[in-house]
């Protein structure tokens, strides 16, 4: 008997960053858990950057990953928040603060979502070189579904002056 069940894999892009403790270890542990959420995990180069939105002497290690998943956007967010909590992320009132791990959903297919607690595409990604530089290496021609520019165009247009440099490939 034929089944009418259709399975849809969604392509998601996540940004990961860490600026406290063993930054590389935090990224590795987060990626190990993220890999369990789907398949075909691909990583950008790792970049090091100054803090963005606040002053902190600790530099961030950042990267972007691409993943295919069966999870809905809401379920993906719950899993990401669980990973952050398990890796010692403490959320306080300021939006921008030092952290063991920060994971943001940048894109979920070409969905545009504005709900309480979840905005996709990420609302500030076009202002952040620490996201755009690795994302442009991973997917330069990908089109932002709201801004209707490629990631490479967004990177070239970005006015972020925060120091960011590529520091390696892989963890």
């Amino acid at each position: 008997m034929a089944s009418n069940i259709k399975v849809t894999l969604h392509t998601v892009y996540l940004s990961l960053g860490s600026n406290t403790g063993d930054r590389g270890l935090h990224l590795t542990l987060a990626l190990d858990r993220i890999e369990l959420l789907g398949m075909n995990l691909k990583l950008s180069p790792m970049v090091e950057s100054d803090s963005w939105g606040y002053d902190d002497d600790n530099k961030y290690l950042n990267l972007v990953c691409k993943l295919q998943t069966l999870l809905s956007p809401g379920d993906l967010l719950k899993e990401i928040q669980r990973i952050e909590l398990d890796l010692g992320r403490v959320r306080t009132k300021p939006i921008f603060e030092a952290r063991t791990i920060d994971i943001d959903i940048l894109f979920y297919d070409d969905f545009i979502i504005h709900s309480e607690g979840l905005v996709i595409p990420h609302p500030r990604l076009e202002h952040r070189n620490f996201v755009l530089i690795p994302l442009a290496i991973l997917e330069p021609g990908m089109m932002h579904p709201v801004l209707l520019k490629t990631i490479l165009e967004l990177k070239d247009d970005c006015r972020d002056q925060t120091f960011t440099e590529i520091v390696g490939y892989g963890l």
Side-chain angles (χ1 to χ4, degrees):
M1 175 184 284
S3 173
N4 290 335
I5 297 173
K6 183 177 179 182
V7 174
T8 303
L9 279 174
H10 301 280
T11 301
V12 298
Y13 293 85
L14 307 174
S15 173
L16 288 78
S18 175
N19 81 325
T20 62
D22 189 334
R23 303 171 303 162
L25 178 61
H26 293 143
L27 292 174
T28 299
L29 293 173
L31 287 167
D32 287 346
R33 297 272 301 276
I34 288 168
E35 193 167 24
L36 299 175
L37 303 178
M39 60 182 67
N40 301 323
L41 182 69
K42 293 191 171 123
L43 303 179
S44 74
M46 196 168 23
V47 298
E48 187 172 59
S49 67
D50 292 334
S51 60
W52 190 94
Y54 74 103
D55 290 325
D56 192 319
D57 291 338
N58 295 328
K59 291 187 179 291
Y60 276 85
L61 282 184
N62 301 282
L63 59 81
V64 171
C65 70
K66 175 182 180 180
L67 179 75
Q68 292 182 301
T69 187
L70 294 171
L71 294 174
S72 70
D75 288 341
L76 179 62
L77 178 63
K78 287 177 190 170
E79 291 298 326
I80 286 169
Q81 289 174 337
R82 183 174 295 126
I83 292 167
E84 289 178 331
L85 183 63
D86 289 349
L87 293 179
R89 171 80 187 264
V90 176
R91 292 181 186 273
T92 57
K93 286 284 183 195
I95 295 174
F96 307 116
E97 61 188 351
R99 56 202 66 178
T100 56
I101 192 72
D102 181 41
I103 307 170
D104 291 327
I105 302 172
L106 302 176
F107 296 102
Y108 184 101
D109 290 334
D110 60 356
F111 287 22
I112 300 169
I113 300 171
H114 289 276
S115 64
E116 188 174 329
L118 182 60
V119 177
I120 300 174
H122 189 281
R124 291 175 295 279
L125 75 90
E126 71 272 15
H127 304 295
R128 298 173 167 182
N129 271 328
F130 67 87
V131 172
L132 291 170
I133 290 170
L135 185 57
I137 293 169
L138 194 61
E139 294 287 351
M142 186 173 79
M143 185 69 65
H144 190 293
V146 174
L147 302 175
L148 302 178
K149 290 184 175 186
T150 67
I151 299 305
L152 188 57
E153 290 172 325
L154 291 174
K155 182 188 79 63
D156 290 345
D157 292 347
C158 184
R159 296 174 185 224
D160 178 9
Q161 298 299 308
T162 304
F163 179 74
T164 303
E165 68 175 330
I166 298 172
V167 293
Y169 289 81
L171 290 170

